[in-house]
Amino acid sequence: MPKSRPEHHGNEYSVRLDNVSKIYKSGEVEVRALEHISFSLKRGEFAAIVGPSGSGKSTLMNILGTIDKPSHGEVYIDGVATSGMNGNELAEFRNRELGFVFQAFNLIPGINAEENVELPLMVNSAPEEERKRRADELLTRLGIGHRLKNNPTQLSGGEQQRVAVARALVNNPALILADEPTGNLDTKSGEEVIKLLGSISKSGNVTIVMVTHNPDTTKFCDKIIYIKDGKMEKQEVLK
Amino acid sequence: MNLKDTFWLSYTDLTEKKVRTILTIFMVVIGVAAIVALVSLTTGISYEITNELASLGPTSILISATQSAGFTPADTAAIASLPNASTVIPIATGSGTLFSGNQNSSVTVIGIAQENLKYIMGGNVSLYEGSVYNDTIAPDAVIGYDVAFPSTASGRQVAFVGQPATLKIPNGRSTNSYTIPIQGIAKTYTSALIPIDTAVIMSMPAAESLLHKTSFNEILLQAKNSSGVTPLTNLIADIYGSRARVINTQQLASTAANITGSITLLLVVIAGISLMVAAVGIMNIMLMSVMEKTHEIGIMKSLGFKNRDVLGVFLLQALLIGIIGGIIGIIVGTGASYSLAAISSSASHSNTTSTSSPPNGFAGGGGGGGFAGGGRGGGRGAVFVGRSPTSSGSSPGISFSPVVSPGLIAEALFVAVFVSVLAGIYPAWKASKMQPIDALRQL
Ligand SMILES: Nc1ncnc2c1ncn2[C@@H]1O[C@H](COP(=O)(O)OP(=O)(O)OP(=O)(O)O)[C@@H](O)[C@H]1O
Ligand SMILES: [Mg+2]
């Protein structure tokens, strides 16, 4: 069920961060994981976030993904401010607007590939045939149509990550967040996943934010955001 | 998320850890089976007791002499004139041994007027074979079913209508021997006060002659109505004081009800404790599951599953455990209670057969012994269930069938589900409240 984005979301920016800071406090110690981050991404843009380990990339992704809250500042996704929403509204929002691809794949091990992809459609009780049709179609498009009934533990890392990508795409999200999606993959599978994300970015008006260590993986990107010590160093527009 | 998918996720999760799930269900099974078995057994026992008591009628009062002087017709006349008194039935009782074929049985010798037989035989006299005796001095007898078909002869008939048998009755130091023509064989009667099945019943004059009595030692009195029973009982107890023991079926029934009631309560408390243990176990196991699933819960939440979806999945698991455990528990408990009842009745059977020692009266020991003499001499609880005048120290067996009522099944299932869901609430709530980011960080 390909759905069109609602009209009121016809905002110029798909993602906009306004002066976002994240401070972790544990006792006396304060970790300023993010400080005054502001940037925006247009619909359909493919952005890479690059920075050394511990610079706050994952923290930024979690905040973009509304599974973590900024200490200060505001995150707008598709024109919607996320700070005012409660847990249920955020869950609903994530289900509708966001797709996650994690470094560790984060598939549910007890169910098969097809069922993993169906999960986001279950939230709103999509009919089963519809769910299966959509999951099968995506998995086939991503080249693992022959692994539908396999559990994640029976799949290679590359295959698992494709399942994760399919799961991220299944609800036609506005924004896909990929935190080091190739981190657990060999070079070849890594490249394939990057290529996949690149083609997704080109084919639709899906915005993609990807964290990466590897400069080679930025070749499909439109923009690179450099982060160091929780601060945004620079923004590089490639095309 | 709809119920079907919630169910699917719950079920998938439960089947993933089969052994753990089976053990959790097993805890519920034990608790429920215990409740079902204990309640159905005690209900069965109290039904049986109530039935035995009912066979005497709710208006029966038994007056037993405690002194060898016994009662005379003057007593019956006096008692008959009391307010609320209706029928007054004199009964002479004693004990003896009946020899027939190559078998002997301990028997209760009962002397009662033929027309009064119906009062001790549950309202109407119904014989297996033969006919009743005449009210003459001739010791023509109706014998109880167990006397004709003793369990020692494994149900084979040893005494026959029209054939004589030898009745030996202790008389001081010696034993007198009499030849008794068997006139009839009674059907089996379960009776609270008077052990028909193991009796040799004859006319009053015959019994008095055989037992060397000039008086009778029991009076079965019928009150006019059931509300008159208690005042009449009290009045007679006042008149006779220590010379007689007065007991009525209502007292027996309420005593029995009290006893079975408190036994039931005790057993249900025990069963309840095992269910509480099950509840703690379920909670423990579910908390462990929730901990293990933390990362997956984080994934689900990042995909947009709401708190109530997560809550639903875990609560449904608890519910499934309760339902499955409850159903299996009901089946196991029913099976257990029927096997126990079978064991108990076969034990009571062998209890009867093991007894061939000389009898020492009904329930209350030798001299002046009466039917309802529980608590005196070597008295046992035979008042309630005394079916055989055994002198062995073991309690008399009782054969009964457990009562597994639809109400009990519904209650047991409800309790199982209630306890499981109650135990599941906290773990499920804990799972549902997890912050997605915290949950995702747990690996
Ligand atoms: N829950 C937390 N509590 C306290 N400090 C935290 C927490 N999570 C992250 N941090 C700190 O915040 C900083 C940024 O962490 P983050 O995980 O965002 O880094 P990163 O850029 O993703 O690193 P990597 O490339 O190694 O994944 C780090 O110094 C980290 O120690
Ligand atoms: Mg990181």
Side-chain angles (χ1 to χ4, degrees):
Chain A
M1 29 136 237
K3 61 185 179 192
S4 52
R5 303 253 72 79
E7 276 315 307
H8 70 274
H9 289 166
N11 195 292
E12 188 189 353
Y13 295 114
S14 173
V15 176
R16 188 157 70 85
L17 269 74
D18 187 9
N19 201 20
V20 166
S21 296
K22 180 73 184 181
I23 300 160
Y24 292 111
K25 284 192 194 107
S26 48
E28 298 290 290
V29 194
E30 261 194 11
V31 179
R32 299 182 164 270
L34 291 176
E35 289 186 89
H36 311 296
I37 306 276
S38 297
F39 65 82
S40 45
L41 301 174
K42 291 204 188 69
R43 190 175 317 289
E45 260 187 317
F46 187 175
I49 296 180
V50 179
S53 184
S55 55
K57 305 183 295 294
S58 294
T59 306
L60 180 61
M61 292 298 265
N62 292 338
I63 287 171
L64 276 172
T66 76
I67 54 178
D68 203 355
K69 281 188 186 320
S71 310
H72 308 285
E74 182 64 89
V75 177
Y76 300 89
I77 294 170
D78 244 12
V80 182
T82 56
S83 66
M85 290 191 244
N86 66 26
N88 270 348
E89 288 165 346
L90 284 175
E92 189 70 48
F93 180 79
R94 281 195 292 277
N95 183 250
R96 205 174 55 230
E97 306 286 337
L98 302 181
F100 291 90
V101 182
F102 301 91
Q103 178 177 355
F105 318 135
N106 282 358
L107 300 174
I108 304 287
I111 59 180
N112 65 33
E114 183 187 47
E115 290 159 347
N116 262 287
V117 176
E118 284 180 62
L119 282 175
L121 297 171
M122 257 179 217
V123 173
N124 285 316
S125 312
E128 197 174 330
E129 313 87 78
E130 167 74 25
R131 270 173 7 206
K132 294 230 179 285
R133 195 183 56 70
R134 185 116 177 87
D136 296 1
E137 179 192 300
L138 271 170
L139 286 166
T140 308
R141 213 170 84 201
L142 300 188
I144 42 169
H146 57 301
R147 287 278 182 268
L148 295 178
K149 303 296 175 188
N150 289 82
N151 277 25
T153 46
Q154 301 163 327
L155 300 176
S156 75
E159 287 170 333
Q160 289 188 53
Q161 200 58 302
R162 282 165 211 238
V163 176
V165 170
R167 186 180 65 185
L169 287 171
V170 79
N171 253 355
N172 287 318
L175 173 61
I176 288 179
L177 299 163
D179 191 349
E180 296 192 58
T182 63
N184 278 344
L185 301 177
D186 60 54
T187 323
K188 188 169 164 285
S189 334
E191 262 170 21
E192 278 171 11
V193 168
I194 297 292
K195 215 185 278 176
L196 195 60
L197 289 173
S199 68
I200 291 162
S201 157
K202 274 209 194 68
S203 66
N205 53 356
V206 189
T207 312
I208 301 178
V209 181
M210 174 179 75
V211 170
T212 179
H213 278 300
N214 185 350
D216 292 351
T217 56
T218 58
K219 63 185 166 206
F220 295 102
C221 296
D222 307 308
K223 189 185 257 182
I224 303 178
I225 294 165
Y226 293 91
I227 293 197
K228 199 179 175 188
D229 296 333
K231 298 184 189 74
M232 201 170 95
E233 273 196 326
K234 61 173 177 178
Q235 225 182 126
E236 197 178 346
V237 179
L238 298 177
K239 293 163 210 168
Chain B
M1 189 164 52
N2 65 28
L3 190 64
K4 189 172 163 232
D5 294 330
T6 308
F7 179 86
W8 176 70
L9 282 172
S10 301
Y11 181 78
T12 308
D13 203 12
L14 284 177
T15 47
E16 222 172 282
K17 305 252 168 15
K18 283 199 184 61
V19 175
R20 182 190 297 182
T21 303
I22 289 169
L23 290 176
T24 317
I25 290 173
F26 192 59
M27 290 191 291
V28 180
V29 169
I30 293 173
V32 171
I35 287 186
V36 170
L38 296 175
V39 172
S40 65
L41 283 174
T42 48
T43 312
I45 291 172
S46 44
Y47 270 30
E48 177 66 18
I49 292 172
T50 312
N51 280 345
E52 296 213 2
L53 293 177
S55 68
L56 265 182
T59 55
S60 295
I61 301 170
L62 187 70
I63 308 154
S64 312
T66 54
Q67 289 162 5
S68 54
F71 302 118
T72 61
D75 291 296
T76 49
I79 288 168
S81 69
L82 294 174
N84 273 320
S86 165
T87 330
V88 183
I89 302 140
I91 305 172
T93 66
S95 53
T97 310
L98 190 79
F99 293 79
S100 182
N102 53 2
Q103 298 285 324
N104 60 351
S105 318
S106 305
V107 295
T108 305
V109 180
I110 296 176
I112 186 168
Q114 179 226 303
E115 56 164 7
N116 288 337
L117 267 177
K118 60 177 179 284
Y119 294 108
I120 62 169
M121 291 173 106
N124 58 14
V125 180
S126 128
L127 296 183
Y128 172 79
E129 228 176 5
S131 57
V132 295
Y133 48 82
N134 290 318
D135 281 328
T136 62
I137 189 86
D140 295 346
V142 168
I143 60 175
Y145 189 85
D146 287 354
V147 179
F149 299 88
S151 45
T152 43
S154 42
R156 196 164 46 82
Q157 185 166 8
V158 300
F160 299 89
V161 170
Q163 290 186 7
T166 305
L167 180 63
K168 292 195 173 171
I169 292 175
N171 181 20
R173 286 163 183 270
S174 61
T175 300
N176 296 338
S177 198
Y178 304 96
T179 299
I180 305 288
I182 295 170
Q183 196 80 27
I185 298 169
K187 285 187 173 167
T188 85
Y189 282 92
T190 54
S191 168
L193 295 179
I194 297 161
I196 303 292
D197 285 353
T198 56
V200 171
I201 310 168
M202 57 187 71
S203 72
M204 181 64 94
E208 282 184 343
S209 139
L210 264 53
L211 295 167
H212 298 279
K213 287 182 192 223
T214 52
S215 61
F216 43 90
N217 54 329
E218 310 270 351
I219 293 173
L220 183 63
L221 169 64
Q222 302 291 335
K224 282 206 180 88
N225 48 52
S226 55
S227 63
V229 170
T230 304
L232 190 52
T233 304
N234 293 340
L235 184 59
I236 296 168
D238 280 350
I239 294 170
Y240 281 93
S242 66
R243 286 188 292 134
R245 177 171 297 100
V246 190
I247 196 154
N248 63 51
T249 42
Q250 289 180 1
Q251 285 169 337
L252 292 181
S254 73
T255 309
N258 279 344
I259 292 170
T260 53
S262 36
I263 290 173
T264 307
L265 184 68
L266 179 75
L267 295 178
V268 166
V269 165
I270 292 170
I273 289 170
S274 82
L275 261 182
M276 261 168 65
V277 171
V280 173
I282 292 170
M283 197 188 274
N284 196 16
I285 286 171
M286 282 196 62
L287 278 173
M288 196 161 84
S289 280
V290 166
M291 290 306 167
E292 282 176 7
K293 293 264 165 202
T294 301
H295 185 68
E296 286 182 34
I297 293 166
I299 297 170
M300 301 292 276
K301 289 200 157 180
S302 74
L303 297 178
F305 285 85
K306 299 178 189 73
N307 290 7
R308 64 160 184 271
D309 299 328
V310 176
L311 187 81
V313 169
F314 283 97
L315 271 186
L316 198 59
Q317 288 186 9
L319 182 73
L320 286 172
I321 287 169
I323 291 174
I324 297 170
I327 290 171
I328 299 176
I330 288 166
I331 295 167
V332 170
T334 305
S337 107
Y338 275 95
S339 336
L340 279 173
I343 291 168
S344 151
S345 70
S346 73
S348 86
H349 203 244
S350 66
N351 185 29
T352 314
T353 56
S354 70
T355 313
S356 57
S357 57
N360 64 349
F362 296 112
F371 294 122
R376 206 161 50 84
R380 299 169 280 110
V383 205
F384 301 128
V385 289
R387 192 180 273 183
S388 57
T390 62
S391 59
S392 70
S394 64
S395 61
I398 172 167
S399 77
F400 59 94
S401 19
V403 179
V404 184
S405 63
L408 174 60
I409 290 172
E411 275 166 28
L413 196 60
F414 172 80
V415 167
V417 167
F418 180 78
V419 165
S420 306
V421 171
L422 198 69
I425 285 176
Y426 176 67
W429 177 81
K430 216 174 135 118
S432 76
K433 284 291 167 200
M434 283 178 181
Q435 291 302 314
I437 184 66
D438 300 332
L440 270 174
R441 282 208 180 99
Q442 298 284 325
L443 271 176

